Amino acid sequence: MGTRAWALLLVLCGTIFLEGIDVAMLAVAIPSIRSDLGLPTDTAAWVMSAYVLGYAGFTLLGGRAADLLGRRRMFLTWLTVFLAFSGLGGFATEGWMLIVARFVTGVSAAFMTPAALSLITTSYEEGEQRNKALLVFAGTAAGGFSLGLVIGGLLTQLGWRWVFFAPVLLAGALLVAAVRLIPAMPLIKEPEKSPVHPRRRTEGFDILGATTAAAAMLLAAYAVIRLEHGLDGWQLTAGAALAATTLLVVFVAVERRTPTPLVRLGILRTGSVVRADLGALLFVGAFFGFQFVLTLYLQELRGWSSLQTAIALVVLGCDAILAPTLTPRLVTRFGHAKVILGGFVLAVVAYGLFLPVGMDWSYAAMFPTLIIAGTAFALAYGPLTIAATDGVAESEQGLASGLLHTFTQFGSAIGISAVTAVYGLASSGASAGSDPDATLSAFRVALIVPVAMVTLGALLSSFGIGSRTKPPSAGAPSAPTTAAPTAAAPTTAVAAATTTTAIPDTSANPTRQALS
């Protein structure tokens, strides 16, 4: 890739780095925020949950909006909103102000991140170049989270408000660079239903579908977050889950009948997309669930400070180095399906090694789990990103990206909520709060959750071994015969890296034309 191509990639990766570092820094700063503002426990929990609720609730809509309303426009607009509300959070004096700021920040990330990913998949040629760009993107995400833990610990020492102000500086720099590097892109037109009545993609926007989708995702995210309360208030959790399911059924009915659906349901018939999305949910859920239990173990049982814990977990960010260096070679040689399976198997080993954790384990005893878990992330997450956009037409790359991020956000929420609920059930009836042995036993039981999730993911990903990407289904929109190959042909990322393919016509894509 040329200098301009690398510069654009760094800007787009900067947004996922920004999103990861923002979440990690707040996780470290929550105790200080709670103490300074005198927040009750439930309010402090909602400061964290509000972001997940906004992100998971609107990611599907955000991904499709990038396709319909313009990827550059969505990227720049919501990066600006992210910047503004992150800054406002730093001036908060009440708990509700922080909750509102974090919710809107989550919504902005739901629109910004799929736009960034779809800009990558449509700006870099399918094959080795796109694979490398996607792997760098995935590695940057985990690197941002890992570094965010350390940076958050340092900034919290200066004052928790810097945890909100620091992302403003980074977002401002990214916004200036993005305005210069991302060329204006015209809206892609759908295939004309009739030669007499051409239709722009923005005409007949699926308002009902967008509304039901957002409401269903919000309620589903809320129900998942409620799982951490276990059986306490189960009626509210069940009610939210039932309402979300009902709205999802309504959404499917709407999408089947509208002439311009928000989500073309046929995309779910692309096998690699469904497996990748479910695999991402299980892998990310296990990763965050494990990290949550590990953090509690180090701080509650071992008495480590937040900064000591953050530094200890930095090794998990080794995938920021491995993802753009080792993983592309493995994908080129073995294909992304086998590399994904390898990542899941390593994750099973990593989390399994931690199951017999003791009260006085040294860092050296924990290190194998941490380094293997980081390596597993490098092997699995990037190739899952490739698989989630593989076989999808260029006009639906935003939708595919939105689906992937929806599943990953639900995965992180499910992972943390599940281990919290299991820990609560395992520690109930025992004086876990005052008995270190009972607390340790409850942690061990909770650790079964991530092990089970990656084991299930390994079984699921094994079905993708040896499969080939299929062309879009008959119901999928196909480009007119005059359209460029990049808009008409499905992307076969790994196959293109090892076989001779025609070079896409960059004149059909302003971004590719600018990079070439």
Side-chain angles (χ1 to χ4, degrees):
M1 292 189 290
T3 302
R4 188 176 180 85
W6 271 111
L8 175 62
L9 180 59
L10 289 177
V11 169
L12 297 176
C13 288
T15 59
I16 197 67
F17 181 85
L18 172 66
E19 193 268 332
I21 200 173
D22 178 78
V23 172
M25 289 193 302
L26 184 63
V28 174
I30 276 292
S32 296
I33 295 173
R34 178 184 176 184
S35 175
D36 187 35
L37 298 183
L39 303 180
T41 302
D42 57 346
T43 301
W46 271 107
V47 172
M48 291 293 296
S49 299
Y51 182 88
V52 176
L53 196 65
Y55 202 150
F58 289 89
T59 303
L60 185 59
L61 177 59
R64 196 54 177 148
D67 289 330
L68 299 175
L69 304 178
R71 295 170 185 126
R72 183 180 189 272
R73 178 187 300 171
M74 289 293 100
F75 181 83
L76 297 178
T77 298
W78 290 99
L79 178 57
T80 303
V81 175
F82 189 101
L83 182 156
F85 276 85
S86 182
L88 289 175
F91 292 106
T93 57
E94 301 287 343
W96 68 266
M97 296 179 182
L98 280 174
I99 292 173
V100 171
R102 293 305 295 168
F103 178 78
V104 178
T105 304
V107 172
S108 63
F111 283 84
M112 174 183 71
T113 308
L117 182 56
S118 61
L119 277 168
I120 290 177
T121 57
T122 56
S123 298
Y124 297 88
E125 292 181 8
E126 58 182 324
E128 185 175 357
Q129 186 182 89
R130 182 184 294 175
N131 288 355
K132 187 168 187 177
L134 289 173
L135 293 172
V136 171
F137 185 82
T140 305
F145 189 85
S146 300
L147 291 176
L149 292 172
V150 179
I151 296 172
L154 294 173
L155 290 178
T156 303
Q157 301 297 318
L158 300 176
W160 63 264
R161 296 184 187 276
W162 279 104
V163 168
F164 290 88
F165 295 145
V168 172
L169 301 177
L170 178 57
L174 291 173
L175 183 61
V176 172
V179 170
R180 294 174 58 88
L181 289 170
I182 304 176
M185 300 178 68
L187 293 176
I188 303 173
K189 293 184 179 181
E190 284 188 351
E192 297 177 0
K193 307 289 184 180
S194 165
V196 181
H197 301 290
R199 177 185 296 163
R200 290 176 60 86
R201 295 178 68 87
T202 49
E203 292 182 4
F205 189 79
D206 185 13
I207 300 296
L208 183 57
T211 303
T212 53
M217 293 298 101
L218 280 169
L219 286 168
Y222 178 71
V224 168
I225 292 170
R226 286 280 312 169
L227 288 176
E228 65 188 45
H229 296 285
L231 298 178
D232 183 24
W234 66 268
Q235 298 92 338
L236 182 57
T237 304
L242 179 60
T245 303
T246 302
L247 283 172
L248 185 60
V249 172
V250 173
F251 171 72
V252 171
V254 169
E255 298 307 277
R256 284 180 172 177
R257 288 169 173 76
T258 183
T260 55
L262 177 74
V263 177
R264 184 182 63 82
L265 300 178
I267 194 174
L268 299 178
R269 291 196 291 270
T270 306
S272 64
V273 171
V274 176
R275 280 195 302 272
D277 289 341
L278 290 174
L281 182 149
L282 293 168
F283 190 88
V284 172
F287 183 83
F288 277 92
F290 170 75
Q291 187 169 263
F292 182 72
V293 175
L294 176 59
T295 301
L296 292 180
Y297 164 76
L298 293 177
Q299 294 191 23
E300 291 189 0
L301 272 182
R302 305 299 298 276
W304 292 22
S305 69
S306 59
L307 184 57
Q308 287 176 312
T309 302
I311 294 174
L313 298 183
V314 166
V315 68
L316 287 172
C318 65
D319 72 306
I321 299 173
L322 297 177
T325 54
L326 174 64
T327 310
R329 298 178 182 178
L330 296 177
V331 169
T332 300
R333 181 171 181 178
F334 300 107
H336 60 255
K338 292 181 179 179
V339 177
I340 290 170
L341 179 59
F344 271 106
V345 171
L346 280 183
V348 173
V349 173
Y351 304 149
L353 286 175
F354 211 78
L355 283 175
V357 60
M359 190 70 68
D360 56 353
W361 269 26
S362 65
Y363 184 69
M366 304 178 218
F367 187 80
T369 286
L370 299 178
I371 192 68
I372 295 174
T375 304
F377 202 103
L379 295 184
Y381 189 71
L384 281 169
T385 305
I386 296 173
T389 55
D390 200 15
V392 179
E394 182 173 306
S395 61
E396 292 185 321
Q397 284 294 322
L399 172 59
S401 302
L403 285 170
L404 173 64
H405 283 96
T406 297
F407 275 78
T408 56
Q409 283 302 306
F410 272 99
S412 63
I414 289 172
I416 294 175
S417 297
V419 297
T420 302
V422 171
Y423 170 77
L425 292 173
S427 60
S428 63
S431 54
S434 58
D435 184 358
D437 290 329
T439 302
L440 179 62
S441 177
F443 282 153
R444 288 172 175 167
V445 175
L447 283 168
I448 296 175
V449 173
V451 173
M453 292 182 75
V454 288
T455 300
L456 181 58
L459 293 175
L460 177 66
S461 61
S462 66
F463 289 104
I465 300 297
S467 63
R468 298 180 61 87
T469 301
K470 296 180 181 180
S473 58
S478 57
T481 55
T482 57
T486 53
T491 58
T492 51
V494 175
T498 56
T499 58
T500 304
T501 58
I503 298 177
D505 180 8
T506 57
S507 63
N509 189 315
T511 307
R512 286 188 191 163
Q513 188 177 27
L515 296 178
S516 61

